[in-house]
Amino acid sequence: RIGPGHRAGRSGAKWRPARRVRGAGAFGEIAAMPSGQLMTMPLLIVNMGGEMVYILEQRLQAQKIPEAKGQKVLSDVVRTMYYPRFIEELFKPQDMYSVHSTRQIFDKLAHSSIMRLNESSMDKLFDLMAMGFKYQIMSCITPQELVDVTFNHLDVLKRLVGSAAPVIELLNECTRQMQLAYASMTVADYAVMRQCLCTFFQDRKVKVSLFLHNHTQNSDGSIIVPSGGVLAANALPPGTVRYFQSGAEIDREQLPTAGGGAWTPGAGARTHLGLNVYEKDAAPAAA
């Protein structure tokens, strides 16, 4: 059994314990690093795992695998991914893994069912997973939106596993862990968490035909960041200037800005990022 508590060695054949962050009583490492940096792994694994299941479902359908057999494959993968001990270890404060170590985890998860992928297919699968989540990170209007992206992945997985009640309960438990871990996180912690994820995916520019077709990716593989859309709840439009006196707002004005009119006020609705973009009737890949 593998999990976030183990990390692949250089040969890939052996596993050694991952470096954990000590409690504040020993050397004070927790005080030295923001909690956002120590809680990035759950977002990385849960979101990339969701993308993996989306892609596997699409491939099963393309190969005309019977629905019952395909659903069993997806349920087996999700059951392994959300095994209680795995999730327990995943949500413990810890350093970010390397790309190689993360790939080792998903190699095991992808082969936890009767399905088998050769190395070339696994390379392509991992690239699609990585680019899918990278696009979502880059497209988030605020760092806090990363949690909503994760909830979207979990909600779609519940639908994909159908009536498998034990698997749905595993997903519900992960949702509860998410709420406990991130509900009280500060804006600064969210920003650090997003920075860690951006660093993880830095320079990864694999071209994805779906993104190229939707004009969300350039021909060199870079992501096109939205220059308009819906603002975060309570966010002011670009160009808003507020004047204060004695701590109280006394006036405000709206200055013209390039592209400022492309943003509309937000009502607090959850983003579409993180939904299954491989579905035929999926919402456009946008925030």
Side-chain angles (χ1 to χ4, degrees):
R1 183 183 301 128
I2 69 165
H6 294 82
R7 184 173 290 174
R10 290 183 179 273
S11 66
K14 296 183 179 180
W15 295 84
R16 57 182 174 82
R19 184 164 64 89
R20 289 245 179 257
V21 177
R22 300 175 185 270
F27 300 101
E29 287 89 342
I30 286 181
M33 285 194 293
S35 60
Q37 185 170 344
L38 303 179
M39 292 303 296
T40 308
M41 282 301 297
L43 294 187
L44 179 67
I45 298 300
V46 173
N47 285 292
M48 287 191 66
E51 291 296 309
M52 180 176 75
V53 176
Y54 295 171
I55 298 163
L56 292 179
E57 187 216 19
Q58 191 265 346
R59 289 187 177 182
L60 290 169
Q61 290 180 348
Q63 296 172 10
K64 301 187 184 303
I65 301 297
E67 183 177 353
K69 186 175 181 180
Q71 196 167 79
K72 183 182 186 305
V73 170
L74 298 180
S75 294
D76 288 346
V77 172
V78 173
R79 183 182 294 109
T80 303
M81 191 183 307
Y82 292 93
Y83 184 77
R85 181 62 186 275
F86 182 93
I87 295 299
E88 178 185 351
E89 292 294 318
L90 181 62
F91 277 87
K92 290 180 179 179
Q94 57 190 294
D95 295 332
M96 278 284 289
Y97 281 19
S98 66
V99 174
H100 175 73
S101 298
T102 303
R103 164 67 187 265
Q104 290 291 319
I105 291 176
F106 285 110
D107 281 349
K108 296 293 184 181
L109 291 175
H111 294 96
S112 60
S113 69
I114 59 175
M115 179 185 62
R116 291 295 176 265
L117 299 174
N118 58 35
E119 186 173 354
S120 175
S121 295
M122 192 63 213
D123 287 342
K124 293 176 182 178
L125 174 61
F126 189 78
D127 284 339
L128 284 173
M129 292 159 51
M131 292 304 297
F133 187 35
K134 178 179 179 178
Y135 166 76
Q136 293 156 14
I137 296 168
M138 300 296 293
S139 300
C140 282
I141 304 301
T142 65
Q144 297 93 314
E145 212 168 44
L146 285 167
V147 175
D148 285 341
V149 172
T150 311
F151 285 144
N152 281 344
H153 278 108
L154 291 169
D155 287 346
V156 176
L157 291 186
K158 291 175 190 176
R159 177 171 56 79
L160 292 180
V161 299
S163 58
V167 182
I168 292 175
E169 179 52 37
L170 295 177
L171 292 167
N172 288 335
E173 177 57 29
C174 184
T175 299
R176 287 190 286 269
Q177 292 289 340
M178 286 285 301
Q179 292 167 340
L180 289 172
Y182 301 105
S184 59
M185 187 169 283
T186 66
V187 175
D189 285 335
Y190 278 118
V192 170
M193 194 162 56
R194 183 176 184 175
Q195 183 181 25
C196 290
L197 290 170
C198 288
T199 301
F200 181 89
F201 292 108
Q202 188 173 6
D203 297 329
R204 181 174 287 272
K205 297 180 180 180
V206 179
K207 288 184 283 188
V208 179
S209 58
L210 178 64
F211 293 163
L212 293 169
H213 179 74
N214 291 340
H215 305 291
T216 53
Q217 188 179 32
N218 292 311
S219 58
D220 64 352
S222 59
I223 299 295
I224 299 175
V225 178
S227 58
V230 180
L231 293 168
N234 302 317
L236 298 173
T240 302
V241 180
R242 304 168 68 192
Y243 298 90
F244 290 82
Q245 185 174 356
S246 301
E249 182 178 347
I250 59 173
D251 193 17
R252 69 172 62 183
E253 64 177 319
Q254 189 71 32
L255 300 180
T257 59
W263 295 94
T264 58
R270 186 189 291 187
T271 177
H272 291 299
L273 295 169
L275 299 179
N276 189 353
V277 297
Y278 300 97
E279 289 181 329
K280 292 181 180 179
D281 57 348

